[in-house]
Amino acid sequence: SSDLFERLWGEWRALDPAGLAEFMADYDREWWVVGGWAIDAFTGQHRPHDDIDAVIWRRDLPRFRELVGDRHHVWSAGSGMIRPLTEECSEPHPEAGQVWLRDHAQAPWFLDCLLSEDRDGLWVSRRDPDHVVPLADVTWVADDGIRYMRAEVVLHHKARWTRAKDTADLEVAWPLLGASEQDWLREAVRRERADHPDRKSTRLNSSHTDISRM
């Protein structure tokens, strides 16, 4: 629960997209936004958000740390473990898929930055390792100048979950997708199910993945 999380690790007061863009203004590498904020940008509708998910290439983490400098503390996070990045321990822990930022131990976390793998400079899906394409194929730049993940790719990543916000994102975004994007999403979810035939009771086959019947 959020209460238990805050007792263990502290509270979150996340940036919004405008605040993120300001924070990243001097970062000279690619970055983009995924998750619920990307759905909002696509639909033009807004729902409440607890956080924002920015993404950078894992290969660019040293440059990102240069940008942050000593203004904020950077922690690697993943698999229920967080660990600060320091001069003595400058690499994320082996299970880390992201880094979290805050100013100091009593300050709230304000940014969750996912670390995206690449294959010869191409984007690699966390859901489907065979989905390897140029970043421009799975992102778009909105009027606010921010690069967002395409809605159908976001929904594919959300398709294992049963959270109310994920269902809401599917319901608001689905009617706005083009026929080819809807077909791609149906096929991506169907293929993921087929690759995991023993997951009949898991989130992958939950009500949220009614994408296949839409």
Side-chain angles (χ1 to χ4, degrees):
S1 70
S2 60
D3 289 344
L4 176 60
F5 176 91
E6 289 188 9
R7 288 176 60 195
L8 288 172
W9 308 117
E11 66 175 324
W12 273 92
R13 293 181 194 167
L15 299 173
D16 61 10
L20 175 62
E22 182 178 356
F23 180 82
M24 300 292 280
D26 294 328
Y27 184 65
D28 57 358
R29 307 294 173 86
E30 292 173 315
W31 63 274
W32 58 102
V33 173
V34 300
W37 280 109
I39 297 297
D40 281 10
F42 171 69
T43 63
Q45 301 185 45
H46 178 74
R47 66 164 174 81
H49 296 275
D50 295 324
D51 58 8
I52 188 168
D53 295 316
V55 190
I56 63 171
W57 298 112
R58 183 181 289 270
R59 65 177 186 252
D60 289 336
L61 181 57
R63 178 69 188 98
F64 180 76
R65 291 190 65 202
E66 288 179 14
L67 170 74
V68 172
D70 59 5
R71 295 176 298 153
H72 314 287
H73 293 169
V74 181
W75 293 62
S76 61
S79 297
M81 175 182 177
I82 66 171
R83 185 176 74 188
L85 298 184
T86 65
E87 293 302 320
E88 297 76 20
C89 189
S90 61
E91 293 296 322
H93 70 76
E95 300 300 318
Q98 58 230 82
V99 292
W100 295 354
L101 274 67
R102 64 181 177 183
D103 290 348
H104 52 76
Q106 282 76 45
W109 304 99
F110 67 88
L111 180 59
D112 177 1
C113 196
L114 304 177
L115 304 175
S116 182
E117 304 291 347
D118 74 284
R119 192 176 303 167
D120 297 325
L122 301 177
W123 175 84
V124 181
S125 171
R126 289 189 175 192
R127 284 286 181 259
D128 179 2
D130 293 328
H131 189 192
V132 182
V133 295
L135 180 64
D137 287 4
V138 289
T139 59
W140 62 289
V141 178
D143 292 342
D144 58 11
I146 296 174
R147 181 174 295 276
Y148 293 92
M149 184 68 71
R150 291 180 61 90
E152 67 272 18
V153 183
V154 174
L155 293 175
H156 181 213
H157 280 68
K158 286 172 168 282
R160 288 185 179 182
W161 305 104
T162 57
R163 300 172 302 188
K165 63 182 181 180
D166 299 316
T167 301
D169 285 345
L170 172 63
E171 291 175 350
V172 72
W174 178 264
L176 302 178
L177 293 173
S180 60
E181 288 79 15
Q182 290 179 347
D183 289 345
W184 178 88
L185 182 54
R186 284 195 194 95
E187 176 59 21
V189 171
R190 185 206 62 77
R191 185 169 58 249
E192 191 170 0
R193 282 177 170 175
D195 289 342
H196 301 83
D198 59 335
R199 291 187 176 179
K200 294 180 180 179
S201 62
T202 67
R203 290 168 174 153
L204 185 59
N205 286 323
S206 71
S207 60
H208 182 64
T209 51
D210 284 349
I211 291 169
S212 61
R213 293 199 292 270
M214 295 185 85

